[in-house]
Amino acid sequence: EAGVVQSPRYKIIEKKQPVAFWCNPISGHNTLYWYRQNLGQGPELLIRYENEEAVDDSQLPKDRFSAERLKGVDSTLKIQPAELGDSAVYLCASSSYSTGAGGELFFGEGSRLTVL
Amino acid sequence: AQKVTQAQTEISVVEKEDVTLDCVYETRDTTYYLFWYKQPPSGELVFLIRRNSFDEQNEISGRYSWNFQKSTSSFNFTITASQVVDSAVYFCALRRDDYKLSFGAGTTVTVRA
């Protein structure tokens, strides 16, 4: 079974440029998460989707970040314009809603963003 | 509010030594779930174990073992007879019934041959 797929793995951009990350979750997983992981820290939730609905986006900086999950499968996270402080690894994860809050999250390898 | 503290930033051991990673959590919820994840250099977080707040049984899986103690709000993780492949960053995480998941800052384990 294929895992969570993310692209690109690495992205280097100059500040004020836009950037987008793509995530394909595990087939059949209703719940999709975007996390941001700063160097030396644990991941922090940006947004959680149940199917195509964003049910928790309280940590998403909405002035420059946006996300969508069309058709409840793939998802895209966009930053426009990027700032120096956005340099981090952006992790996508998915889980099966049927397992509830106790179900484990399956993570992708992440997209490492460097803003110059 | 909930919080996960992993006081050890880095641990370095020689192969075959045992290593214990500490995790202390704070929550006011009565129902919650505790997790350990491993993050190897490739970057992908790999699920290791899950415990719910009503199950204080310790667990052993091969060289891995976990000790959950509600009285001290701790969920410690031990790797017995460590191997070089165990080198990674290990994260403890706490999840509430409303799905909010909080990670600790992680402990970097380096196993030297």
Side-chain angles (χ1 to χ4, degrees):
Chain A
E1 179 182 319
V4 177
V5 179
Q6 291 187 246
S7 68
R9 286 295 312 277
Y10 304 93
K11 189 74 175 179
I12 301 174
I13 61 173
E14 294 190 347
K15 63 181 180 181
K16 298 185 181 179
Q17 294 297 305
V19 63
F21 305 111
W22 174 80
C23 172
N24 181 243
I26 291 175
S27 178
H29 279 189
N30 320 78
T31 309
L32 183 144
Y33 313 76
W34 282 103
Y35 282 85
R36 176 167 60 189
Q37 185 176 19
N38 292 315
L39 188 64
Q41 297 181 23
E44 294 179 333
L45 179 69
L46 291 174
I47 190 168
R48 174 169 69 93
Y49 283 94
E50 295 291 349
N51 298 304
E52 63 274 9
E53 181 183 0
V55 295
D56 184 356
D57 63 355
S58 58
Q59 303 283 69
L60 189 74
K62 298 182 183 63
D63 57 336
R64 297 183 299 106
F65 286 65
S66 64
E68 60 182 12
R69 190 184 184 197
L70 300 176
K71 300 182 181 178
V73 182
D74 295 1
S75 178
T76 303
L77 177 70
K78 298 178 182 178
I79 309 174
Q80 181 171 11
E83 297 179 352
L84 295 177
D86 295 331
S87 294
V89 176
Y90 291 85
L91 294 164
C92 179
S94 70
S95 67
S96 172
Y97 186 77
S98 62
T99 59
E104 65 263 34
L105 276 63
F106 296 83
F107 285 84
E109 291 183 314
S111 296
R112 182 178 296 276
L113 173 66
T114 301
V115 182
L116 302 176
Chain B
Q2 57 182 33
K3 183 180 177 182
V4 177
T5 302
Q6 294 181 254
Q8 304 146 308
T9 305
E10 295 183 34
I11 299 176
S12 182
V13 297
V14 177
E15 210 169 16
K16 297 185 182 178
E17 286 185 351
D18 297 348
V19 56
T20 295
L21 284 61
D22 298 332
C23 173
V24 175
Y25 63 92
E26 296 176 28
T27 182
R28 295 181 179 178
D29 296 336
T30 54
T31 301
Y32 53 89
Y33 305 86
L34 296 163
F35 298 80
W36 275 96
Y37 279 86
K38 173 182 180 180
Q39 188 174 41
S42 62
E44 180 180 347
L45 281 150
V46 178
F47 166 79
L48 296 178
I49 191 172
R50 166 189 56 242
R51 263 285 172 271
N52 72 53
S53 51
F54 300 107
D55 182 3
E56 287 194 71
Q57 273 194 329
N58 293 327
E59 181 158 337
I60 299 174
S61 176
R63 297 183 297 105
Y64 295 169
S65 62
W66 291 269
N67 181 264
F68 175 27
Q69 292 193 344
K70 283 182 76 171
S71 60
T72 55
S73 296
S74 64
F75 187 42
N76 297 336
F77 171 34
T78 298
I79 303 172
T80 303
S82 61
Q83 300 176 0
V84 173
V85 293
D86 295 327
S87 296
V89 182
Y90 291 85
F91 291 95
C92 181
L94 169 68
R95 194 172 193 198
R96 292 164 23 176
D97 223 13
D98 66 356
Y99 291 79
K100 288 208 181 288
L101 177 63
S102 298
F103 284 87
T107 298
T108 300
V109 173
T110 303
V111 181
R112 309 185 308 276

